[in-house]
Amino acid sequence: MWRNRDLIDLTEFTRKDVETLFKQADLFLETRLAPNKMLEGKIMASAFFEPSTRTRLSFESAMHRLGGSVIGFSSAEGTSVEKGESIEDTVRMLDNYCDVIVMRHREDGVMQRLAQLAKNPLINAGEGQSRHPTQALIDLYTIFKEKGMLEGLNYGVMGDVKHARAARDFIRGLSLFGVREVNLITPRELMPEEVFVKDLNARGVRLNHYERVEDVIGMLDVLYVVRLQVERFRDRSEAEALRGSYSISLKTLERAKRGLRILHPLPRVWELSSEVDGTPYAAYFKQVSYSIPVRMAVLSLILTDIERVQEGLI
Ligand code: NCD
């Protein structure tokens, strides 16, 4: 059940929860995202302490489409955090002004701590280098729409799996659907740390490692690409040395299956050539278009009794 829950860690949700969300997103798609008064009178606080374009704007757009309203800020600049206010106090304050808080922050582990303070649901819109659950829901939904299923497919994840929260939560999301194996395609320096690998193993997912995409491309059904997270390197020259160390072009796709679908949470930089955009492999713009129905589904399931209505419980 979604009602009144925080959405911080995707692994606290079940496959059934995610399928309920898919159904709700389908309903919004069927009505072509027509304005809907479901959340009239509700207020969403959008608290972004880290840069964001698509996540913040798509959450805000989703809330508006549901008839709700939005308050918030898009950087710490101009807030009392600049005067030295703690994030805890900022959340206590926001909690009084709204019905749901959507937050992005650079510190890993911050969301769990803040959720204990807030009486309203807290939605994680990107946390450090570890988590980005709503992006993962969009990614899973995109595969479901493209392929009709999530299990039984061969997955590749290419790029900075060490620092990219989108890639990491995508893999965690796959684990909910019983996916047993994911192929990581990345230079050794960008492999995730042991704790992450062990956690996935404990969830039944084996992570294989390839340095060259050519060695694995021919067997993939889904390839998830992420950019090098330059801003998360302490030493920028290390990031500079890895620039261009992995990429997808028409040439790399020569041996791909016809049904291969490429996803990317965006923004992209140099890792995915725009020459791929016009091919049937490219699913990343569809993925963007699903961000609105999926985030509408998240907000409506958390803020209303719609799930209970759907299940005939009321
Ligand atoms: C991602 C993020 O912020 O983690 N962006 C997004 O939300 N679509 C991916 C990224 O910045 O690489």
Side-chain angles (χ1 to χ4, degrees), residues 48-49 72-83 85 90 93:
F48 280 70
F49 292 95
F73 50 85
S74 56
S75 81
E77 237 168 87
T79 72
S80 293
V81 171
E82 281 222 310
K83 302 179 190 164
E85 184 178 59
T90 307
M93 175 268 307

Side-chain angles (χ1 to χ4, degrees), residues 51-52 54-55 104 125 132 135 164-166 226-227 229 231-232 264-267 295:
S52 169
R54 62 213 94 230
T55 304
R104 171 170 286 197
H132 197 353
Q135 180 64 50
R165 56 195 175 200
V226 284
R227 72 182 168 90
Q229 310 278 305
E231 71 279 20
R232 308 216 185 269
H264 192 308
L266 305 177
R295 290 192 166 116

Side-chain angles (χ1 to χ4, degrees), residues 63-173:
M63 190 64 181
H64 285 303
R65 282 188 189 274
L66 290 165
S69 37
V70 177
I71 56 170
F73 50 85
S74 56
S75 81
E77 237 168 87
T79 72
S80 293
V81 171
E82 281 222 310
K83 302 179 190 164
E85 184 178 59
S86 70
I87 176 94
E88 281 80 1
D89 283 0
T90 307
V91 164
R92 282 191 185 98
M93 175 268 307
L94 279 178
D95 205 26
N96 287 295
Y97 301 164
C98 68
D99 302 287
V100 60
I101 304 174
V102 175
M103 181 180 287
R104 171 170 286 197
H105 200 277
R106 63 173 302 107
E107 188 189 325
D108 289 298
V110 73
M111 300 282 173
Q112 223 41 285
R113 206 170 79 224
L114 297 176
Q116 279 158 18
L117 291 178
K119 58 182 190 315
N120 287 307
L122 176 66
I123 299 177
N124 183 347
E127 178 182 14
Q129 51 194 49
S130 62
R131 296 184 191 280
H132 197 353
T134 61
Q135 180 64 50
L137 290 169
I138 294 161
D139 306 337
L140 299 174
Y141 185 68
T142 306
I143 297 167
F144 179 67
K145 298 304 273 182
E146 288 290 298
K147 298 277 186 190
M149 59 182 176
L150 283 138
E151 60 277 59
L153 299 173
N154 281 324
Y155 290 94
V157 176
M158 180 190 228
D160 189 356
V161 192
K162 183 170 181 177
H163 304 105
R165 56 195 175 200
R168 298 157 72 96
D169 253 2
F170 173 65
I171 301 171
R172 289 192 189 97

Side-chain angles (χ1 to χ4, degrees), residues 248-254 273 275-276 279 281:
I248 289 292
S249 63
L250 286 183
K251 179 107 191 68
T252 8
L253 292 171
E254 272 169 11
S273 164
E275 61 190 32
V276 181
T279 70
Y281 302 123

